[in-house]
Each structure stands twice: as structure tokens, then as C-alpha cells.
Amino acid sequence: MAKQRGIIKLQGTIGDITFVKTKDGYIAKEKTQINASRMATDSAFQRTRENAAEFGRAGKAGKVLRQAIRPLLQNAKDSRVTSRLTKIMMKVIKADATSERGLRNVVDGEAQLLQGFEFNSNASISSTLYTQFTTTINRITGQLEVNIPSFTPKSDILIPDGATHYKVVSAAAEINFEAGTFVAQSSDSAILPWDANTAPALTLTNNVTPNSIHPLFLVVGIQFFQQVNNINYSLKNGAFNALSVAKVSGS
């Protein structure tokens, strides 16, 4: 290990040499390269391998959930949704109290921790749709349902500037995390005006496989539009649309 001399104190990396400041002054050392086979077999890296395996599992689980609700997600997400979802999936996996470390998974974890997850952190469903709604999951029939009582849009929906209309959306997803497959269905209301007239009660129903053994997810969202000459245009590519995991039923 070499020490730096002179008036210029370097920090950082140049080529294979890393310059660092320590309590003994500025030093220069060669970057170390860890052999891939050593990383895969050396007992010193056991914890690293376990963490990497579970992190990879969390990433794949988040990806299949995003794929399942993609028709809605592409209109309601933020730039960090992938990393945020992976983070909560890691919590789900770490809640697995039966599998060994490194082998913990979503199925044996607590999928219910995903309930309340917002796909667009810039617009949560609770701060957009003020009226109370109920959700039900019937595992026997495979029916997942959202029920919204009659409400007044102008007082019960917070809309972004420029919006004139809205619609409520929902989706159900049955996910086999081990195989990376899913069954999904989505539904939505008509595009409705944001006005002071009372909107009728609304029920959105989606179906997956009856008696499924896999986790079931029900998401609810709201999308905004601006109507010009009787044509409805999406508002800013969904930047203000909300989409949330409203209910979860584990396997």
C-alpha cells in the first residue's frame, strides 16, 4: 500500500488504483478483484449469496406483479416504482418464518404487506378519491370486487388542473410467484364528468381461477382526462393517476 506525497491530495479511482483518505493520511491501493467462483463457493461469502438470492427473488416477484396489472400500471406509476416494489417484496420475503435464510420466498412470506402499496407515489388513492369504498375477495368463486357507493365527484374527487373527466379502474391478479405466471382481469367505469351531480353507485368485478391456491391481489385506481370537442385526452400521460393495492389474499 502506497502513501501519497505532495500538495495534491487525490480521492477516488484512476484505473486500478483507488485513492482514499484514512487516519494515517492519503493512501493509494490497488483495487481487489473477487473471483466469481470464490464468491459462489467461499464460506466467507455465504451471507452475501443468501442476500443476493432473496433480493433476486424479490425483484422477480415485483416484476410479475407489474406485468399482471400492466394495462393499468402504464397509466399510473412513478419513476421509482420498480425499486419501491422490490423493497416491499423484500419485507414480504423476510417475513417467511419457515424457510432457511437464502431460501425465503413470497409464498411463505406475508403477501398482505403489499396491501396499501401505491404504484404512483405522486398520487395516492386515499388523497384522490375521498369517498369510502369496499373490496371483497372470494377465493371459492375467484371473484374480486370493488364497490363504491354513490358520491358527488366535485366534492369527493380531487382532480389535477385541467382535468374535466375521470374513470375508476380495477384489476384482479392471481400470481404464481414460483413459476412467474399470472391470471389477470381488469375492468373500469365509463369516463364520467367531474361535476356536482350525484354519481350512481359503482361495482367493478374481476374474475380469476376459482379455488386458486395462489396469492390474489385486487388493485383500484382512478384516471383523469381532459375533454376537448367531445374527445377525451389522457392528462399528462397519467402523472396524476392513482393506483393502489386495495386488498390481498394470501395462498
Side-chain angles (χ1 to χ4, degrees):
M1 185 178 297
K3 286 189 176 182
Q4 296 185 59
R5 295 181 180 275
I7 61 173
I8 299 177
K9 307 302 182 183
L10 298 177
Q11 292 190 66
T13 301
I14 300 177
D16 292 330
I17 305 299
T18 299
F19 300 88
V20 295
K21 181 181 179 181
T22 71
K23 63 180 181 179
D24 298 318
Y26 292 84
I27 61 174
K29 59 182 181 179
E30 186 177 6
K31 288 197 301 183
T32 59
Q33 300 291 333
I34 300 176
N35 184 276
S37 61
R38 181 188 172 195
M39 178 71 77
T41 58
D42 194 327
S43 60
F45 297 101
Q46 179 65 26
R47 297 285 86 84
T48 301
R49 291 194 295 271
E50 292 169 351
N51 292 336
E54 293 184 349
F55 184 79
R57 203 168 292 125
K60 290 178 180 179
K63 181 178 180 180
V64 70
L65 177 57
R66 297 197 312 275
Q67 289 175 330
I69 61 168
R70 185 177 180 277
L72 303 187
L73 185 60
Q74 61 188 353
N75 294 315
K77 62 182 178 180
D78 61 52
S79 60
R80 299 183 60 195
V81 64
T82 298
S83 60
R84 290 193 302 106
L85 187 54
T86 299
K87 183 177 180 179
I88 194 68
M89 283 294 187
M90 278 298 294
K91 291 183 179 180
V92 172
I93 287 173
K94 288 180 179 180
D96 177 357
T98 60
S99 305
E100 295 180 8
R101 181 169 175 171
L103 298 177
R104 292 177 295 185
N105 58 83
V106 173
V107 175
D108 294 317
E110 292 292 339
Q112 284 81 0
L113 290 173
L114 287 159
Q115 191 163 302
F117 180 82
E118 299 286 351
F119 291 94
N120 185 1
S121 62
N122 300 310
S124 67
I125 193 70
S126 62
S127 64
T128 305
L129 180 62
Y130 295 139
T131 188
Q132 296 293 316
F133 61 87
T134 60
T135 56
T136 58
I137 295 179
N138 189 323
R139 298 191 67 91
I140 296 175
T141 63
Q143 187 174 88
L144 292 81
E145 196 169 83
V146 180
N147 290 285
I148 303 175
S150 59
F151 63 97
T152 304
K154 206 150 194 176
S155 60
D156 292 325
I157 297 178
L158 180 65
I159 69 168
D161 291 340
T164 60
H165 288 67
Y166 69 93
K167 73 174 179 179
V168 181
V169 299
S170 74
E174 168 197 348
I175 300 183
N176 182 339
F177 286 107
E178 294 179 341
T181 58
F182 60 86
V183 174
Q185 187 179 72
S186 62
S187 59
D188 53 25
S189 69
I191 296 179
L192 304 168
W194 184 74
D195 56 25
N197 296 319
T198 301
L202 176 66
T203 296
L204 299 178
T205 302
N206 303 292
N207 294 283
V208 294
T209 307
N211 295 305
S212 173
I213 62 172
H214 304 300
L216 305 181
F217 299 85
L218 177 60
V219 301
V220 179
I222 188 166
Q223 299 178 2
F224 296 105
F225 303 85
Q226 183 180 78
Q227 190 175 92
V228 179
N229 296 329
N230 294 319
I231 299 177
N232 294 304
Y233 297 90
S234 296
L235 209 64
K236 285 195 174 181
N237 298 318
F240 302 104
N241 296 339
L243 186 66
S244 175
V245 179
K247 198 173 185 65
V248 178
S249 174
S251 57

